[in-house]
Amino acid sequence: MRIILFFLLTLLLSVPAMAGTGLQGVVIDARTSQPVAGATVMLDEQGLTATTGPGGDFLIEGAKAGSDRLLIMGYGYKDYAQDVVLTAGVVANLGVIKISDNAFVSRAQQSINEANHEIQLTESQLEDEEGNTQAVATLTGANDNPFYQAASFGWSIMRFRVRGYNSEYTNTYINGVNFNDAARGRFNYSMLGGLNQAFKSKSIGLGLEVNNFAFGGVGGANNINTLARDYAPGLRGSLAYTNGNYRWRGMVTYSTGLMPNGWALTLSAVGRYADEGVIPGSFYKSWGYFLSVSKDLNASHTLSLVTFGAPTRRASNSATYKEAYELAGSNLYNSNWGWQQGKKRNARTVEAFDPTVILNWLWKPKMGTTLNTGVSFHKSYYSSSALNWHNAADPRPDYYRYLPSYYTDEATRALYYNNWTMGGDSYRQINWDKLYQTNYLNNTIADQTGVENGSTYIIEKRHSNQASWTLSSNLNTRLSEQLTLQAGYDANYTRSSYYKTIDDLLGGRYWLDVDNYSERDFPGDHNTPQNDLRNPNRKVGVDDRFGYDYDINQYSSSLWVQNVWNFARWDVSYSATGSYTTYQRDGNMQNGRAPEHSYGKGARHNFWNWGLKGSIDYKLDGHNTFVAHAYYGTKAPLSYNAYVSPRVKDDVIAHLKSERIASADVGYSWNFRTLRGVVTAFYTDMQKGTERTSFYDDLNSTFMNYALTDVHKVFKGVELGLSWKMTDRVTFNAAMNLARYQYKNRPTGTRSFENGSEADITKTVYLKNFYVSGTPQECYTIGFNYAAPHMWFFEVNGSWMNRSYIELSPVRHESIDDLWKIADSQEALQNKINEITRQDKLNEALVINMSIGKLIYLSRSSSLNINLNLSNLLDNKNIQTGGYQQGRFDYKNYDMSKYPNKYYYAQGFKMYLNLGVRF
């Protein structure tokens, strides 16, 4: 593969640049300063044309000397015209040419959208007791594709994912530096801290589209530009109120713009606060900072330094049973809080902080050539608290044994029903006083008997921290009138640290660092229960590490190269990439369940990967374009999924391999003065994938880690988006996503018992033709925008979403040897199999949203904007945003109602009022 890449790069670089009479320049968006790729540039009199490359650059050669008129026509932009004079034997440099959008969006709407520009993020716990992991984020704006606009806004309430892919398949860059998490593969949008004004400028490549800063994943690539020289000068501020996770948000941004001395400075700060959010018992406290400084050393060299971070502390909710929601009388019921000394206290508190520094050197040796080299340091601190207990009753109020449905006799059912419906918060919420009293009693007994006794209940913190260094260098150059070359190199070192600490002993004196389940299952064995044999029977206090403590050291590097050919009717691109990934577990504790392979550096796991991508665009005329993309490559398994039971031992999944991905799409786009749109059909095949989950296993009464290998998924569907300018002031928008995302084989499942009671067990998991979870596969939206006189703006849209499925539990899809014993016929057996394996569909959802905006110019250089967004006007409180089957399973009676599914719900009606000023 390395030989192929070297040959391809040598071939591309050997293409000679042409000389003669002509023009060159760079076309950018007048509002965002981002390059405009794919625009047609033409000398009107001579009929010579060129197409702007991924960097917005163009070159026309072979022209005749004399006067002519330069025309630029881009998708979604107004036509641009400029008179030019060509000199014989000279390729004139026109520099930067700014073109404006085509007035589908009015000036007022642009200002309103900028003021209310949001990063939509649905956050859930990275890890909970059921092993349910899901985080879906959408970066909005920055793309005029009508389908993408609908996907970003209208369908985000149900965690819509473009083409069904997880975020690990989309690469996100800041100033050309890759910021995808090396361990989990995804970009952490919460690290941006709501600094929307600072991070508003971005380039987005959807799916397999060509871009000039990266090879990209099968899900595309995004680049956020934060160079100080590219911000418009001035002072901007905003104050917002909402009834969501936070109540208030204040933000201010100041930019000098590029000053005559070559310096530029941008500062931004944000604060978000809620004493209690829309979910009872939650709170939100966050502030963020941003600093960007750049210096143009001369016409060819620019240095840039950027730093940002957002310390955040918030309380969260957890998914629970439909029965618990119904008994509590609200789909926003939150079992994680309880009253303590007259105040609500939440057991699930998240603390996060991602301080980041990026240094860039931009070198432009000539027009059409840019080399961007960047180095970054990113430190991620993340912790999530949770209750833990030892030899005691489960303190969670929605524990399944505290629900009426668990009991068969009517009297007991009635008792628990009355407790839930009439007992109030003292029953439905955590009883903090009881937990403290239990630990105080332990202290009293210890004082009376002289026998030490630690806490029965504690709050622990689960830490997932990272320290990451990244080096990126990207070249973008024009080789001839038709040909551009892009190439780049990335290298990353990441140290991921996972451990637990004591957050609160809840009145107790210490916590004994042993595994509760092993202590029960291995009586008399003093070694097996130890979490750290090097420190046996250790008594830990607040902030002490316990339970597990290990690091994953990972290094990766990649090289990519791309050619883009632009002709009058055809655009052709092809690219290749090669990468190397290696990781190694480094245990800081010697676990008693795996004493020989838990402490110290483990085996190193190496993966060589590659990818090929190509595209063809056919421009029928200036309004109609047909496009086709194709991709094939491999992707290293994520280190987060590679280890069977990383908290205990170094073992990785058997036959760990790179994932194989093949993808293709074909599309048609049209762009007329009043009508534009795009329709795309796609097909993606992913094989040899790896997934991991964790849960409590009732059969063996222990915490279970479960890994899936050789996972095969297929994603296929059709996307449609259109925008019709019905009048000068009214625009109609519509979009559709009709797709099917499914498992297509029977992967291998490996169970790992954390108490060490059994060796790892491998079984076949029957997942073929079941659905990929967590995103609606059928979506429709329509909307109207009205740009009214006197700088008023109105928008209303409606969306319908369906066929989103709950996350599967692999244990329900294993073969069950004794299942036949409970059935008296083949039909009864099949009915029971169908009941066990059934994958429930989340509720379909109809959502209507409305937005009202007003722009007021205070002077020629200052303005005030007011924007009110009203989401879910129907106040639909039955929208299920996610759900999962429990890993717990009734192996005795195979009763599916004993451990039912758990769900998350949306909040219902939501409003967002924003006041913004600009000077």
Side-chain angles (χ1 to χ4, degrees):
M1 189 64 212
R2 284 170 285 184
I3 296 175
I4 295 174
L5 287 175
F6 176 78
F7 175 79
L8 180 59
L9 182 59
T10 302
L11 176 63
L12 298 177
L13 291 175
S14 67
V15 178
M18 301 174 65
T21 303
L23 298 171
Q24 62 178 330
V26 177
V27 181
I28 67 171
D29 187 301
R31 183 168 57 91
T32 67
S33 296
Q34 293 297 301
V36 177
T40 299
V41 183
M42 182 173 66
L43 286 173
D44 192 28
E45 297 293 332
Q46 302 183 41
L48 297 177
T49 64
T51 302
T52 56
D57 58 294
F58 68 89
L59 173 65
I60 297 178
E61 291 187 306
K64 297 178 181 179
S67 299
D68 209 321
R69 189 166 180 80
L70 181 73
L71 301 178
I72 301 177
M73 296 157 287
Y75 178 82
Y77 291 90
K78 294 178 180 178
D79 291 349
Y80 173 90
Q82 174 184 341
D83 292 328
V84 294
V85 177
L86 295 100
T87 303
V90 176
V91 178
N93 186 350
L94 300 180
V96 174
I97 301 173
K98 297 181 179 181
I99 62 176
S100 302
D101 67 71
N102 64 1
F104 266 80
V105 182
S106 69
R107 186 179 181 187
Q109 184 181 346
Q110 285 181 10
S111 182
I112 295 298
N113 288 349
E114 279 191 26
N116 193 49
H117 185 74
E118 284 295 327
I119 293 177
Q120 306 288 340
L121 175 66
T122 304
E123 296 181 89
S124 62
Q125 292 297 99
L126 290 180
E127 181 179 18
D128 64 26
E129 69 278 5
E130 300 296 343
N132 180 42
T133 58
Q134 182 65 56
V136 179
T138 303
L139 185 62
T140 64
N143 194 296
D144 65 354
N145 183 312
F147 170 79
Y148 182 72
Q149 291 173 344
S152 298
F153 294 96
W155 305 331
S156 61
I157 192 171
M158 284 194 69
R159 304 182 182 182
F160 176 80
R161 302 196 302 264
V162 176
R163 300 190 180 180
Y165 308 146
N166 287 330
S167 57
E168 69 196 68
Y169 296 99
T170 300
N171 297 329
T172 298
Y173 297 73
I174 302 178
N175 296 342
V177 179
N178 192 345
F179 271 86
N180 277 43
D181 179 341
R184 289 183 171 89
R186 61 194 182 212
F187 180 79
N188 178 20
Y189 287 92
S190 63
M191 69 181 282
L192 305 182
L195 289 155
N196 305 321
Q197 293 174 357
F199 294 104
K200 70 184 181 67
S201 178
K202 53 193 76 74
S203 299
I204 292 182
L206 299 177
L208 304 177
E209 288 181 354
V210 176
N211 60 72
N212 69 332
F213 54 86
F215 179 82
V218 69
N222 311 320
N223 183 51
I224 304 172
N225 177 28
T226 63
L227 300 182
R229 68 186 316 278
D230 294 332
Y231 288 85
L235 177 68
R236 300 179 60 187
S238 67
L239 179 65
Y241 174 79
T242 180
N243 63 336
N245 291 332
Y246 59 85
R247 300 293 185 178
W248 296 95
R249 187 195 73 177
M251 182 162 42
V252 61
T253 302
Y254 172 73
S255 298
T256 65
L258 184 59
M259 296 184 287
N261 60 5
W263 285 93
L265 171 69
T266 296
L267 299 167
S268 188
V270 66
R272 293 173 292 173
Y273 176 80
D275 188 56
E276 184 173 41
V278 66
I279 297 175
S282 67
F283 64 82
Y284 204 106
K285 299 175 182 178
S286 175
W287 71 276
Y289 64 88
F290 173 88
L291 168 66
S292 177
V293 181
S294 68
K295 169 64 174 175
D296 284 1
L297 302 177
N298 52 45
S300 299
H301 298 276
T302 299
L303 292 179
S304 169
L305 178 66
V306 175
T307 183
F308 59 88
T312 300
R313 188 169 183 266
R314 60 180 175 84
S316 63
N317 64 321
S318 298
T320 191
Y321 309 103
K322 281 186 179 180
E323 182 182 6
Y325 288 121
E326 292 169 356
L327 290 169
S330 171
N331 285 342
L332 297 183
Y333 167 67
N334 180 13
S335 63
N336 290 334
W337 68 273
W339 292 99
Q340 183 180 354
Q341 297 180 345
K343 295 182 179 180
K344 292 182 179 180
R345 181 179 182 181
N346 196 306
R348 287 274 187 170
T349 300
V350 171
E351 296 180 6
F353 181 35
D354 291 74
T356 302
V357 180
I358 311 170
L359 178 65
N360 286 87
W361 167 48
L362 279 76
W363 179 35
K364 299 180 180 179
K366 62 178 182 178
M367 173 62 65
T369 298
T370 301
L371 178 66
N372 178 12
T373 301
V375 61
S376 70
F377 175 72
H378 173 220
K379 182 71 174 177
S380 175
Y381 301 94
Y382 181 93
S383 68
S384 174
S385 65
L387 284 165
N388 198 354
W389 57 96
H390 175 58
N391 289 335
D394 194 316
R396 297 170 298 179
D398 60 343
Y399 181 54
Y400 74 101
R401 295 193 179 193
Y402 304 154
L403 297 174
S405 61
Y406 177 74
Y407 299 94
T408 56
D409 64 284
E410 292 301 323
T412 306
R413 274 178 174 263
L415 173 64
Y416 277 86
Y417 179 84
N418 290 334
N419 287 339
W420 268 90
T421 56
M422 302 175 63
D425 292 342
S426 61
Y427 190 86
R428 291 195 297 263
Q429 305 302 146
I430 294 173
N431 190 334
W432 290 107
D433 290 341
K434 183 178 179 180
L435 306 187
Y436 273 90
Q437 288 300 322
T438 301
N439 289 340
Y440 290 153
L441 181 60
N442 292 344
N443 298 342
T444 301
I445 294 174
D447 292 339
Q448 292 176 350
T449 64
V451 179
E452 292 185 333
N453 197 1
S455 291
T456 298
Y457 296 99
I458 63 167
I459 294 181
E460 65 182 23
K461 278 186 178 180
R462 301 162 184 172
H463 298 261
S464 176
N465 300 339
Q466 283 190 354
S468 179
W469 287 92
T470 303
L471 170 67
S472 293
S473 188
N474 301 313
L475 172 68
N476 183 16
T477 185
R478 178 168 289 279
L479 300 178
S480 70
E481 181 178 349
Q482 291 84 21
L483 176 62
T484 61
L485 167 70
Q486 296 80 38
Y489 173 76
D490 296 286
N492 173 272
Y493 169 74
T494 297
R495 184 180 183 89
S496 303
S497 300
Y498 305 94
Y499 58 92
K500 291 197 300 184
T501 60
I502 301 290
D503 186 53
D504 194 336
L505 290 168
L506 300 180
R509 293 175 177 170
Y510 66 89
W511 177 264
L512 190 62
D513 187 19
V514 297
D515 182 76
N516 301 335
Y517 306 122
S518 299
E519 190 178 39
R520 175 202 62 205
D521 295 335
F522 298 93
D525 184 344
H526 300 293
N527 289 331
T528 299
Q530 299 297 326
N531 289 325
D532 188 4
L533 288 170
R534 299 164 65 251
N535 296 282
N537 297 318
R538 187 167 64 105
K539 299 172 183 177
V540 293
V542 173
D543 293 332
D544 288 341
R545 297 192 182 194
F546 77 105
Y548 59 87
D549 183 3
Y550 66 96
D551 302 317
I552 302 292
N553 297 305
Q554 180 167 339
Y555 171 79
S556 61
S557 62
S558 65
L559 175 69
W560 64 278
V561 62
Q562 173 179 275
N563 261 165
V564 179
W565 292 85
N566 301 124
F567 303 100
R569 293 279 187 177
W570 297 88
D571 293 339
V572 178
S573 73
Y574 44 85
S575 53
T577 185
S579 65
Y580 170 72
T581 302
T582 181
Y583 42 76
Q584 178 184 48
R585 182 184 182 275
D586 189 0
N588 301 311
M589 290 182 174
Q590 186 180 14
N591 194 288
R593 274 82 70 203
E596 301 302 322
H597 44 110
S598 55
Y599 178 71
K601 296 185 183 299
R604 184 171 293 279
H605 307 282
N606 307 307
F607 305 91
W608 289 94
N609 293 280
W610 59 276
L612 298 172
K613 186 165 66 172
S615 71
I616 300 176
D617 295 13
Y618 174 65
K619 294 166 282 190
L620 181 65
D621 50 37
H623 303 290
N624 300 277
T625 303
F626 297 88
V627 61
H629 301 98
Y631 167 88
Y632 186 82
T634 61
K635 186 176 186 296
L638 298 172
S639 60
Y640 185 78
N641 293 333
Y643 294 87
V644 178
S645 188
R647 300 191 295 193
V648 174
K649 55 189 178 182
D650 182 57
D651 294 359
V652 296
I653 298 167
H655 310 297
L656 189 63
K657 297 179 180 179
S658 292
E659 188 174 21
R660 294 204 306 260
I661 303 172
S663 181
D665 64 49
V666 293
Y668 163 62
S669 64
W670 60 95
N671 181 27
F672 298 90
R673 189 177 65 84
T674 60
L675 180 66
R676 63 188 177 98
V678 60
V679 59
T680 306
F682 64 90
Y683 184 93
T684 300
D685 185 280
M686 298 183 181
Q687 300 187 38
K688 304 296 181 182
T690 303
E691 299 177 5
R692 185 169 67 87
T693 186
S694 302
F695 54 88
Y696 181 80
D697 181 67
D698 280 80
L699 180 63
N700 297 279
S701 300
T702 185
F703 198 74
M704 181 74 67
N705 294 296
Y706 199 108
L708 284 175
T709 56
D710 194 28
V711 177
H712 182 192
K713 299 177 183 177
V714 168
F715 305 80
K716 56 185 177 182
V718 176
E719 304 162 339
L720 170 68
L722 64 87
S723 185
W724 174 30
K725 194 169 180 61
M726 304 172 65
T727 71
D728 287 342
R729 295 188 177 275
V730 179
T731 303
F732 169 77
N733 301 296
M736 176 194 74
N737 183 82
L738 187 58
R740 185 181 295 268
Y741 319 133
Q742 289 180 298
Y743 291 90
K744 282 299 179 181
N745 75 330
R746 298 172 177 177
T748 299
T750 301
R751 291 173 174 246
S752 182
F753 304 80
E754 259 200 21
N755 67 349
S757 60
E758 294 187 36
D760 293 351
I761 296 175
T762 298
K763 286 189 174 183
T764 298
V765 183
Y766 297 83
L767 293 182
K768 187 174 182 180
N769 291 331
F770 284 89
Y771 292 97
V772 174
S773 66
T775 182
Q777 303 187 21
E778 183 179 6
C779 305
Y780 306 90
T781 188
I782 60 172
F784 292 90
N785 296 338
Y786 175 45
H790 308 296
M791 294 296 183
W792 283 93
F793 171 74
F794 301 90
E795 179 180 0
V796 61
N797 64 72
S799 297
W800 184 73
M801 294 150 282
N802 191 23
R803 292 177 49 233
S804 183
Y805 297 89
I806 64 167
E807 184 178 354
L808 295 168
S809 171
V811 300
R812 294 196 182 190
H813 297 268
E814 296 176 337
S815 61
I816 303 174
D817 296 335
D818 296 331
L819 184 61
W820 63 273
K821 295 180 179 179
I822 68 166
D824 54 12
S825 67
Q826 182 64 37
E827 181 181 2
L829 177 61
Q830 187 60 51
N831 289 337
K832 176 55 69 173
I833 292 174
N834 294 340
E835 179 188 359
I836 293 172
T837 60
R838 185 180 69 241
Q839 184 180 22
D840 291 327
K841 183 167 66 72
L842 300 182
N843 294 338
E844 60 187 58
L846 174 64
V847 178
I848 296 177
N849 306 314
M850 185 177 181
S851 177
I852 305 171
K854 170 65 174 175
L855 176 64
I856 304 171
Y857 281 99
L858 306 176
S859 68
R860 294 185 63 182
S861 60
S862 60
S863 62
L864 168 69
N865 57 348
I866 306 168
N867 195 34
L868 175 64
N869 279 332
L870 305 175
S871 303
N872 196 2
L873 283 171
L874 300 179
D875 196 26
N876 184 353
K877 297 179 180 178
N878 291 315
I879 299 175
Q880 296 171 327
T881 61
Y884 58 92
Q885 297 174 343
Q886 292 194 78
R888 309 185 79 159
F889 186 77
D890 181 8
Y891 289 96
K892 182 178 180 180
N893 299 312
Y894 306 105
D895 181 5
M896 293 301 97
S897 64
K898 185 175 182 179
Y899 303 119
N901 303 330
K902 289 188 173 185
Y903 296 93
Y904 290 97
Y905 283 85
Q907 70 175 72
F909 171 75
K910 184 177 182 179
M911 61 86 66
Y912 187 95
L913 177 64
N914 184 84
L915 304 177
V917 294
R918 175 184 294 180
F919 299 98

